[in-house]
Every structure is written in structure tokens, then in C-alpha cells.
Amino acid sequence: MAQRTRRNGRPASLNGRTAVVTGAASGIGRALAQRLAAHGSPVAICDWDEDGLQETAASIPGPVFARKLDVSDRQAQLQFAAAVQEWAPAPIGLAVNNAGVTVSQTAAEAAVEDDEWVVTVNFWGVVHGTRAFLPILLANGSGAIVNVSSVFGLMGFPTQSAYCASKFAVRGYTESLRHELRGSDVRAITVHPGGIRTNIVRNARFHVDDTGNTDHEKLVQEFAKNARTSPAKAAKTIHAGVENGKQRILIGPDAVAISLVTRIAPVRYFDVIERVMAAARR
Ligand SMILES: NC(=O)c1ccc[n+]([C@@H]2O[C@H](COP(=O)([O-])OP(=O)(O)OC[C@H]3O[C@@H](n4cnc5c(N)ncnc54)[C@H](O)[C@@H]3O)[C@@H](O)[C@H]2O)c1
């Protein structure tokens, strides 16, 4: 099943191959499932939010396989992979480990249960998804594992210590895998979105934000105002990045700027970022 032909150094297109997207009941995952389906891929989607998942499935006119699961459940991910393989009308070419959650609390005050929740879903969910689908892609001879990190996988941020830790971990895991896969036609791709207008902040376990605000709804409104990129635009950037052979996909001008400033000033970057954020709030 290998599709090794490359034109202009680009990998063979994955359009039309079966695509798997976790966390597809909302936000980036939903938009990506819709976009991949619109480009001819049968899609297999999962989420722990069954109602949202069914809404996504109903919005997709082509072949779709939907399963309620918790990505931090290793056995459930393995069973999902087996079921997708049995269902798939076309060979599996893409597995996007996208599901994620966050908690907003200082490191000093954070409850261990909240920190464990974030790391278990964001990091172990990605590891379980990778372990479930990588052997299938390797057996098929080509494809891509796409793991969603964040700009918080590029920089630390106050009240996001567990989230940042989980997203740095996703980056380290995926970059290591990328190097292991050199010489094969299976790729490991990291995605670093900036602010995307999704439900991520509304779905957060919220205690306090970086300004000292303890009103969750206030942060939800501020995030909706400041997050520059729509989920559809994020999905388009991920899809184009995968098709163009990118190994690291930055989403939005904020992500590009953060990537730059953390490399130019690896210790002092937050001084710059804080000033930009304060100016944006005025
Ligand atoms: N929105 C942003 O600004 C932003 C920025 C950087 C990174 N990200 C990352 O993008 C990814 C998608 O998030 P989003 O912004 O679309 O948020 P979202 O809350 O709209 O969507 C996340 C989806 O993941 C699902 N999910 C959460 N935990 C799960 C679990 N244990 N098992 C199965 N499904 C689970 C949720 O039910 C939801 O449908 C996440 O990994 C997030 O960390 C988002």
C-alpha cells in the first residue's frame, strides 16, 4: 500500500485515505474532520462528548465512523484502531491526536487531580493514539501521525504549568518519533496553534488566570475576543501543512511570532510577550 511517489519533494497526497481525528466533537477537531472529508477522505472520529460527536458526524456527507471514547484510556484507543481498520473504506493514512483540555491555576495552588487530568489527556492521550495507529501506518508503508501541541509547547505561561508541561511533552515525544521515522514514508508532525476560537477555555477547569482574574466567564469572553484564528482556518493550515510535507505546523500570526521570540530570547521572551499582551488589553 506504500505510495512513495513524490512530486517536487512533496509527499504523496493523503487526500482520499482514511483519516482519524480525536477530539472531533468541537473546535479544531470538528473543523478538521469536516475539511478532510470534503477532500475525499473517509473519516473516523472520536470524543468523550457523544452529543457533539454525533453533531460532527451528521455534518459530514461522506463515510464517517464515530465512537465515544476517552483518549486517556489505552485499551479504548487500541480497540478504536482495530474497529477503524475493519471499517475503513480506504487504507488509513492520517491519525490526528487532537483531543485536549486545560486547567487555569498557579503551580503553587494547583490540585494534583487537575494537573494529572491535563497531563493524562493531553500527553498520554497522544501517546496512546500514536501507539494505536503508528503500526497501521507502518504496515501500510506511508502516512502521517499529527500530534497537536500548542504555542504553550514553545513557551511557559503563568497559570498554565500543567498544560505547558503536557504540550512540551507532546512536542518532545513527536520530534523524537520524527527522527526515528527518518528513511520511512511515515511522518510525525507537530502542530502548534496560537489562539483559536474554540471551546477550549470554556471547557477548562478554571481557578485563576494570569492577570489574577477569578471569573471564568470573563476569561471566556476575553479569549473569544482575542483568539484571532477560526477553527476552519486552523483546519486549513493543518491540512495544507500535511499535504505540503511540513514537519512542524504553526497556526496563526501569534504562533509565528511566539516561535520567533522564544528562539531569539529563550530566557527573556516573556518580558516581550507580557508587554504585547498588556498593550492588546488597553
Ligand atoms: N483553541 C486554542 O487556542 C488552542 C491553542 C493551542 C492548542 N490547542 C489544542 O488544540 C486541540 C483542540 O482543542 P480545541 O481548541 O479545538 O478545544 P475544544 O475544547 O473546542 O475541543 C477539544 C475536544 O477534545 C475533546 N476531549 C477532551 N478531553 C477528551 C478525552 N479525554 N477523550 C476524548 N475527547 C476529549 C473535547 O470533548 C472537545 O470536543 C487541543 O489539544 C488543544 O490543547 C488549542
Side-chain angles (χ1 to χ4, degrees):
M1 188 31 61
Q3 298 185 359
R4 304 185 80 95
T5 330
R6 293 165 192 253
R7 283 177 289 124
N8 308 324
R10 287 172 72 182
S13 173
L14 297 178
N15 290 337
R17 303 266 299 268
T18 296
V20 180
V21 183
T22 72
S26 172
I28 299 171
R30 169 177 285 179
L32 188 58
Q34 290 167 337
R35 184 175 177 91
L36 295 169
H39 284 77
S41 284
V43 289
I45 55 177
C46 68
D47 203 292
W48 64 11
D49 168 6
E50 193 162 21
D51 292 346
L53 192 65
Q54 289 312 326
E55 272 178 35
T56 304
S59 74
I60 291 172
V64 58
F65 177 88
R67 174 166 292 189
K68 181 185 177 185
L69 66 77
D70 179 345
V71 292
S72 62
D73 180 338
R74 191 171 79 88
Q75 284 308 325
Q77 289 244 46
L78 290 171
Q79 285 160 8
F80 178 55
V84 173
Q85 203 173 13
E86 203 172 316
W87 165 81
I92 300 170
L94 186 61
V96 185
N97 291 301
N98 162 77
V101 291
T102 189
V103 61
S104 193
Q105 175 59 294
T106 61
E109 297 292 329
V112 69
E113 295 79 11
D114 285 353
D115 283 357
E116 281 178 356
W117 177 61
V118 167
V119 173
T120 304
V121 174
N122 293 4
F123 176 60
W124 283 105
V126 164
V127 173
H128 297 330
T130 301
R131 284 176 188 257
F133 286 97
L134 181 62
I136 297 172
L137 298 182
L138 288 170
N140 287 348
S142 65
I145 296 276
V146 177
N147 290 339
V148 179
S149 173
S150 170
V151 286
F152 288 171
L154 305 173
M155 67 168 173
F157 195 87
T159 71
Q160 292 296 316
S161 54
Y163 185 77
C164 290
S166 71
K167 294 300 187 176
F168 271 77
V170 168
R171 175 186 172 190
Y173 180 83
T174 311
E175 290 188 10
S176 302
L177 176 62
R178 178 186 310 153
H179 307 322
E180 290 173 10
L181 291 172
R182 270 183 313 186
S184 86
D185 273 354
V186 178
R187 296 176 284 140
I189 300 166
T190 38
V191 178
H192 297 279
I196 318 293
R197 286 188 301 279
T198 69
N199 292 315
I200 187 88
V201 173
R202 188 174 291 284
N203 290 338
R205 291 187 186 173
F206 179 82
H207 304 277
V208 64
D209 71 14
D210 59 301
T211 66
N213 163 49
T214 54
D215 178 350
H216 191 178
E217 190 53 34
K218 184 171 176 228
L219 183 66
V220 168
Q221 297 305 329
E222 256 177 33
F223 179 73
K225 198 175 76 190
N226 294 331
R228 296 286 164 90
T229 307
S230 69
K233 180 77 198 335
K236 187 177 178 190
T237 306
I238 295 171
H239 181 220
V242 171
E243 285 294 301
N244 290 329
K246 282 201 170 184
Q247 310 191 59
R248 180 178 186 264
I249 299 172
L250 298 168
I251 306 181
D254 46 353
V256 174
I258 288 163
S259 169
L260 193 64
V261 77
T262 52
R263 279 179 289 135
I264 293 171
V267 179
R268 304 288 303 266
Y269 62 84
F270 197 67
D271 296 346
V272 180
I273 287 165
E274 208 174 24
R275 258 181 264 138
V276 173
M277 285 174 45
R281 280 196 192 103
R282 279 199 289 270

